[in-house]
Amino acid sequence: MSEERIIAIAVKKPNQQDDLFDSSLDELVSLVETAGGRVVEIMTQNRNRIHSAFYIGEGKMEEIKEKIEEYDADLVISNDELSAGQSRNLSDFFGCRVIDRSQLILDIFASRARTKEGKLQVELAQLQYLLPRLRGQGTQLSRLGAGIGTRGPGETKLETDQRHIRNRIDEIKRRLKQVVKQREQYRKRRKLNEVFQVALVGYTNAGKSTIFNRLTNSESLEENKLFATLDPLTRKLQLPSGFQVLLTDTVGFIQQLPTSLIAAFRSTLEEVREADFILHVVDSSHPDNEQHQETVLKLLDELECSNIPTLTVYNKKI
Ligand SMILES: Nc1nc2c(ncn2[C@@H]2O[C@H](COP(=O)(O)OP(=O)(O)OP(=O)(O)O)[C@@H](O)[C@H]2O)c(=O)[nH]1
Ligand SMILES: [Mg+2]
């Protein structure tokens, strides 16, 4: 499929600092590139609050519509999460598909999931995102063609029928329960063997997999793209002192991670909770690295991992 042309839209609220707003837009552009699209124009508007029906103001919508025609754009992506009504109203007005940042991240995860567990987790997150947004627009959604925002794990098209979705959610949860049990068994065995466990965590693209590979002579996917790693990988590592540890490479974090994704990836992220020690990898060459660190620390806190001893590794010095 040829590269999709995308218009990014964003509302800047009075309480958002300029530099943080700009970096969230840079990140949106990287996310689009990771998904295989190209942002042709970024359109922003300062507003006191999000427009409840349209997200963005009506005058701005006219301008955006003109740009869509000018670029023959395939898709509009909003920087914030949209309600069902907002995305329906926008796509009716623009006459093209409209998705939000969360759907974009879910789409990237969907195309990256490799293991059975990863695929099930992403599908669950996508379905849980979709379900409350389906009311009265099932047929509209199912008319959508392929493209960014419509991909399911393993490139199957996302099903948009409510009843089917509910059944599928139940089925996935049942299957994931099995996987969770297996993981628990592994963990118990490791605990029994009293192996010291170290987890590499950090913002996406910080260099976790690169460090993991160098330390363990492995080939975890390392790539200059967001979310290269989805499935945790664990290897034995002998430290120079002779001390044996298990090192785990994990999925990267990002700000505004969709809540349905955090919930679905809980079992994967629980690997971090079991760690005796955390290596927090930071891309110190990134201008927003302080904010990245804050995001990671906040998510670690949510995962109840903030009591685990942590060493911050300032990576990419060269
Ligand atoms: N310049 C420089 N680049 C690095 C360094 N470490 C890693 N990289 C590059 O940064 C990019 C991301 O590295 P990964 O190891 O895939 O990062 P990650 O943290 O595993 O990313 P996700 O799995 O996407 O969360 C790759 O292109 C690496 O080659 C470093 O020390 N210096
Ligand atoms: Mg990685």
Side-chain angles (χ1 to χ4, degrees):
M1 196 169 44
S2 65
E3 202 177 52
E4 288 178 69
R5 285 177 301 278
I6 289 152
I7 297 200
I9 62 173
V11 168
K12 183 172 179 299
K13 283 143 274 174
N15 60 354
Q16 268 177 311
Q17 282 172 30
D18 285 353
D19 52 341
L20 293 187
F21 180 69
D22 291 345
S23 65
S24 83
L25 288 176
D26 288 344
E27 198 164 79
L28 190 65
V29 171
S30 301
L31 285 167
V32 166
E33 283 164 5
T34 296
R38 184 164 56 92
V39 173
V40 290
E41 184 91 25
I42 301 175
M43 308 201 57
T44 65
Q45 185 179 43
N46 293 314
R47 288 182 69 83
N48 286 331
R49 54 182 204 89
I50 300 281
H51 192 296
S52 60
F54 297 109
Y55 172 64
I56 212 149
E58 285 163 61
K60 199 73 190 176
M61 284 171 62
E62 292 287 349
E63 270 178 56
I64 297 170
K65 197 177 161 105
E66 278 168 26
K67 288 286 177 195
I68 292 171
E69 279 156 20
E70 186 185 324
Y71 287 105
D72 191 19
D74 303 286
L75 182 65
V76 171
I77 297 185
S78 78
N79 198 29
D80 300 283
E81 212 166 84
L82 298 174
S83 69
Q86 287 165 338
S87 63
R88 186 176 49 233
N89 292 341
L90 286 177
S91 69
D92 283 350
F93 184 84
F94 294 150
C96 83
R97 290 196 299 125
V98 177
I99 66 168
D100 61 27
R101 184 190 178 95
S102 290
Q103 275 171 293
L104 177 60
I105 294 176
L106 287 167
D107 196 80
I108 295 171
F109 271 66
S111 59
R112 298 217 161 237
R114 291 289 170 271
T115 64
K116 199 162 209 103
E117 181 186 15
K119 286 182 182 172
L120 286 172
Q121 287 172 322
V122 177
E123 191 181 348
L124 180 62
Q126 285 185 310
L127 296 177
Q128 284 177 331
Y129 174 90
L130 268 183
L131 195 58
R133 291 176 166 79
L134 279 180
R135 241 175 319 134
Q137 61 168 2
T139 51
Q140 187 205 359
L141 275 176
S142 44
R143 265 193 275 115
L144 300 178
I148 296 173
T150 65
R151 286 177 288 218
E155 303 299 313
T156 52
K157 201 172 157 307
L158 264 180
E159 180 63 56
T160 51
D161 175 65
Q162 279 206 35
R163 195 164 41 95
H164 184 276
I165 288 184
R166 284 216 180 81
N167 291 340
R168 183 74 186 143
I169 286 180
D170 289 343
E171 188 191 328
I172 296 178
K173 281 187 174 164
R174 257 198 312 278
R175 287 168 63 179
L176 279 175
K177 250 192 204 141
Q178 281 303 115
V179 187
V180 170
K181 264 195 208 137
Q182 275 173 14
R183 268 191 192 287
E184 275 167 4
Q185 303 256 298
Y186 285 137
R187 281 199 218 116
K188 261 194 208 137
R189 214 176 309 154
R190 281 191 227 148
K191 276 260 177 307
L192 233 51
N193 297 338
E194 294 189 348
V195 192
F196 193 86
Q197 297 181 51
V198 180
L200 284 160
V201 302
Y203 212 73
T204 181
N205 211 39
K208 301 177 290 298
S209 299
T210 307
I211 293 181
F212 179 83
N213 290 341
R214 295 306 174 278
L215 289 175
T216 62
N217 283 324
S218 313
E219 285 174 7
S220 181
L221 181 65
E222 48 180 89
E223 226 183 334
N224 196 11
K225 281 195 169 173
L226 308 183
F227 305 116
T229 310
L230 275 200
D231 305 302
L233 198 62
T234 302
R235 289 273 185 280
K236 258 194 221 140
L237 167 69
Q238 183 156 2
L239 299 182
S241 63
F243 188 58
Q244 283 254 5
V245 304
L246 281 179
L247 186 67
T248 302
D249 186 20
T250 64
V251 56
F253 296 161
I254 197 164
Q255 56 174 329
Q256 295 171 272
L257 205 56
T259 42
S260 68
L261 252 186
I262 301 181
F265 272 78
R266 237 188 154 87
S267 72
T268 303
L269 293 166
E270 240 139 56
E271 292 280 307
V272 180
R273 232 156 92 179
E274 293 295 314
D276 300 293
F277 193 73
I278 290 176
L279 286 172
H280 174 184
V281 183
V282 178
D283 174 356
S284 55
S285 71
H286 199 291
D288 303 319
N289 79 73
E290 273 182 35
Q291 212 216 328
H292 292 177
Q293 290 177 61
E294 272 173 36
T295 302
V296 171
L297 294 178
K298 203 170 125 245
L299 284 166
L300 283 176
D301 195 37
E302 280 170 29
L303 292 165
E304 296 164 35
C305 296
S306 40
N307 58 336
I308 302 172
T310 301
L311 179 72
T312 309
V313 180
Y314 291 97
N315 195 34
K316 302 204 191 178
K317 284 289 181 194
I318 45 163

